[in-house]
Amino acid sequence: MNQQSYYRWWQRAGLCYQRDQLYFAGRRVQDLADQFGTPSFVYSASRVQENLVRLHTALSAANLAGQYSLQYAMKANRFAPLLTFLKQTGLCGIDACSPGEVEHAVSCGFTPNDISFTASSLSTQDLKVLARYEGIFMDCDSLHAIHCWGKLKPRTKIGLRVNPAMGIGRAANDRLHYAGDVTTKFGIYQEQFLDALAIAQSYGLQVSKIHFHTGCGYLTPQLEQLERIIAHCFWFVEKAGQVECVNIGGGLGVPHVASDEPLALDQWATILHRQFAARGLHVEIEPGDYIVKDAGLLLLGKTFVEKKQNTVFVGVDAGFNIGPEPAYYNLPFQPVPFRYEAAPCSMMDVVGNINEALDVWYAQAWLPDLTEQHHLALINAGAYSSAMASNHCMRGQFKEFLLF
Amino acid sequence: MNQQSYYRWWQRAGLCYQRDQLYFAGRRVQDLADQFGTPSFVYSASRVQENLVRLHTALSAANLAGQYSLQYAMKANRFAPLLTFLKQTGLCGIDACSPGEVEHAVSCGFTPNDISFTASSLSTQDLKVLARYEGIFMDCDSLHAIHCWGKLKPRTKIGLRVNPAMGIGRAANDRLHYAGDVTTKFGIYQEQFLDALAIAQSYGLQVSKIHFHTGCGYLTPQLEQLERIIAHCFWFVEKAGQVECVNIGGGLGVPHVASDEPLALDQWATILHRQFAARGLHVEIEPGDYIVKDAGLLLLGKTFVEKKQNTVFVGVDAGFNIGPEPAYYNLPFQPVPFRYEAAPCSMMDVVGNINEALDVWYAQAWLPDLTEQHHLALINAGAYSSAMASNHCMRGQFKEFLLF
């Protein structure tokens, strides 16, 4: 990636340089950092809404109106003001995966009817708490879960999470594979599916939904794979008999580097129409990343710039413990300066303040001379960052702000 | 690994089966789980003390008495009762890496004189807070840090953290490499060392310590490497001139699987004597894992047992977010049952309750029929578990107990 492409791919109306200054959500980012201090996550409400509207528009354009629903995967970012904002837009429900998430979503204004629930390894106590939320829709992930839920809520509708034993996802990221060659804990495999249906029936449960989450972060090149997996899942739909809805999980990717093209939503929606709506099936989608990832910036203070051997290091005042994706999942958060004068840049490694070799935010960032600059922003920090933050090395302090 | 070795290598007086029941720190583990609930971390004070005493004994036996100090790397586990216990033993000081850690150590009873401080990417504000703790010993990690500390604390003694550009560590774990072929953010490299000394001198700082942390988790087979790296570091000691003390970081490994042999402490201590004490140098050691890792158990509730394709899954009521080592660092926490009757075991995968493919505690554990058992314990969970815990998926709840 050269300097030009490093600075071109991510700029948009709500996040761009204007007269050399970085602006986000209509604010000069320098003013935000001066006011809030660092490290701070800032989230753009209007970008979140744009992302949701873009999904709705693509789905409607593909003639899916009335035949789909969007459930925001709240594990991506559960910042309470953000959840309440989402509720108020009326543009999505919630995908929750723990009793704590259900309680939190309800505390932010969602009702149990807005929530579909999919998780694995639920305890008896978890299930009892969930059963208190009348209206929540449960996707059972194992035969065991069907038994437990059947006892608590007989004669209700449920979903079954199935595992098509086929995976999709960004190549070379085996840390994000839910399904594929290796047997995983997720879902019910084909060979046990008839048993699952029999257990459901024994409690009078109606299997009205089939859920299959097949991977993470797919972009346009992976759509063909997605369609192949979807086709494979009709076996489950047909065996179940009374299915009204199919949930294809989340997984819609966002670009992380200049060479990533945004997901072609029209192609994606056309697949959903062809596979589901055309057969009278409602389709449920659980985006997380797609809604919030590019709506978040992480504002950091520069601590030092120093050359060590052949590498220039830029230190910042927070580490991978408050944003684990770059370190743990190899998904980069590109650093960008608050001021960019199209001056010649050079390559620098942006590193955090944790005593661990993993704590590299970005290797080989194209950055200008930072002598007179005291901050950096990391883009794409809106998902799986604060939500997965730890207090490792007692460096867990950060602030979060929802910007309207 | 066969069933026999799976159950043999980790048993010791304070953690073993007695009449088929697992005992830890003199308690029946079933009683602990019944009382505390799950997930709970339990730590054995006497095992922590044993680990410290073993180190002291080995160092004394190698004629190092009076010429070394142990600084516990508190980032491994900062549970307050554990820190206060450590203070009271008088067997170690503290290695801290953030202002928050310094404040916390002091809140638990340590004095600034007990604390040596080594970190990277410190902010100006960090350094100001640290300077308030008179007596803390600062190891500077960059030229920038020497400048900053020199301004705040001129004419004091400091350490310099150097990077010998040589790595040591468990093979195939590139996530834990601090030093080696790739230039890292850690320490001052040889080519800038004379500059570093000049900067120190300009503030009247006396470089009385050289710090080099060369890796993590080394066991006996890596001792030869360790000695080679140590030898390499004398270049720094000689150039600095007035060095009184050398800090070799932490890195002492503990066995994680049956095939790991415990570190031969006598060989290790002999190296330290030969390299340092024999030359009149004090040696500082910063163990973390070695002190607390095998002193901790994580008690978990079983949620389900179910075969999926050819794999039997045992679900438990907590996920990798409260103990990231297995998922992120490939360092297994072996699961063991509360009751073990030497009955035939079979292989099972122990998985958590987080909606992520990474959330596997242990693949291919040898476990007995668990129909009548409701819990599992994970061994080696005393370090970098609770300390790195996150509330991912709002599954961050756990308890901790120090057992005397």
Side-chain angles (χ1 to χ4, degrees), chain B residues 270-336:
Chain B
T270 301
I271 292 172
L272 300 191
H273 181 267
R274 182 164 58 229
Q275 295 287 346
F276 301 119
R279 305 181 197 206
L281 286 166
H282 189 90
V283 59
E284 223 170 62
I285 305 137
E286 294 171 343
D289 265 2
Y290 192 86
I291 307 301
V292 293
K293 182 168 248 175
D294 72 1
L297 278 193
L298 175 53
L299 311 182
L300 298 171
K302 180 191 79 175
T303 53
F304 76 106
V305 177
E306 193 161 314
K307 190 169 181 178
K308 298 189 177 197
Q309 299 195 127
N310 292 320
T311 306
V312 176
F313 288 95
V314 182
V316 291
D317 59 0
F320 76 103
N321 59 309
I322 69 163
E325 291 218 324
Y328 286 142
Y329 299 95
N330 301 319
L331 295 173
F333 289 175
Q334 188 180 305
V336 298

Side-chain angles (χ1 to χ4, degrees), chain A residues 44-244:
Chain A
S44 164
S46 63
R47 180 62 175 179
V48 168
Q49 184 148 3
E50 270 170 47
N51 290 339
L52 277 164
V53 168
R54 192 180 324 105
L55 282 175
H56 281 291
T57 304
L59 289 159
S60 296
N63 293 314
L64 277 142
Q67 287 187 279
Y68 72 92
S69 42
L70 295 179
Q71 307 291 117
Y72 168 61
M74 66 178 283
K75 66 173 164 296
N77 189 327
R78 63 177 176 269
F79 183 48
L82 178 70
L83 291 186
T84 299
F85 167 71
L86 285 170
K87 170 64 186 172
Q88 275 199 297
T89 65
L91 295 171
C92 63
I94 285 287
D95 161 42
C97 69
S98 73
E101 284 196 348
V102 169
E103 288 166 356
H104 184 56
V106 169
S107 81
C108 293
F110 285 96
T111 65
N113 282 308
D114 297 324
I115 301 172
S116 80
F117 187 91
T118 315
S120 69
S121 197
L122 294 169
S123 70
T124 311
Q125 182 54 27
D126 289 337
L127 288 155
K128 279 186 192 154
V129 173
L130 293 168
R132 298 203 304 250
Y133 289 86
E134 193 69 41
I136 204 177
F137 196 95
M138 171 67 72
D139 297 324
C140 294
D141 178 76
S142 65
L143 307 191
H144 176 80
I146 306 170
H147 275 296
C148 294
W149 195 248
K151 281 174 201 153
L152 289 162
K153 294 278 186 184
R155 292 172 302 283
T156 55
K157 289 185 179 186
I158 60 163
L160 292 185
R161 181 180 189 166
V162 302
N163 195 318
M166 296 170 74
I168 183 178
R170 294 168 80 85
N173 207 333
D174 60 1
R175 300 188 150 245
L176 292 167
H177 280 182
Y178 284 67
D181 294 341
V182 175
T183 303
T184 74
K185 65 178 178 176
F186 297 111
I188 297 160
Y189 285 83
Q190 194 162 347
E191 66 202 56
Q192 285 185 304
F193 190 67
L194 298 183
D195 289 347
L197 294 176
I199 296 166
Q201 196 172 26
S202 74
Y203 295 98
L205 296 167
Q206 184 198 332
V207 178
S208 66
K209 193 208 287 184
I210 296 293
H211 182 293
F212 54 98
H213 184 71
T214 51
C216 278
Y218 59 76
L219 294 172
T220 312
Q222 284 86 40
L223 285 178
E224 207 182 316
Q225 259 178 291
L226 176 68
E227 187 155 23
R228 237 183 359 255
I229 296 173
I230 288 174
H232 188 75
C233 290
F234 281 100
W235 183 88
F236 295 97
V237 173
E238 282 154 25
K239 289 289 176 205
Q242 294 179 291
V243 173
E244 300 158 4

Side-chain angles (χ1 to χ4, degrees), chain A residues 98 118 121 141 143-144 177-178 183 185 187 192 303 306-309 316 329 352 354-357 359 393, chain B residues 98 118 121 141 143-144 177-178 183 185 187 192 303 306-309 316 329 352 354-357 359 393:
Chain A
S98 73
T118 315
S121 197
D141 178 76
L143 307 191
H144 176 80
H177 280 182
Y178 284 67
T183 303
K185 65 178 178 176
Q192 285 185 304
T303 53
E306 193 161 314
K307 190 169 181 179
K308 299 190 178 197
Q309 298 194 126
V316 291
Y329 298 94
I354 296 290
N355 248 354
E356 275 202 56
D359 189 29
C393 296
Chain B
S98 74
T118 314
S121 198
D141 178 75
L143 306 191
H144 175 80
H177 280 181
Y178 283 67
T183 303
K185 65 178 179 178
Q192 284 185 305
T303 53
E306 193 161 314
K307 190 169 181 178
K308 298 189 177 197
Q309 299 195 127
V316 291
Y329 299 95
I354 296 289
N355 247 354
E356 274 201 58
D359 189 30
C393 297

Side-chain angles (χ1 to χ4, degrees), chain A residues 357-397:
Chain A
L358 269 184
D359 189 29
V360 176
W361 283 111
Y362 198 96
Q364 304 193 314
W366 284 99
L367 292 172
D369 178 8
L370 294 171
T371 313
E372 301 298 318
Q373 298 202 45
H374 304 291
H375 298 90
L376 282 176
L378 303 181
I379 63 171
N380 267 341
Y384 299 102
S385 297
S386 59
M388 291 181 75
S390 84
N391 198 23
H392 188 31
C393 296
M394 301 193 79
R395 287 289 198 184
Q397 305 86 340

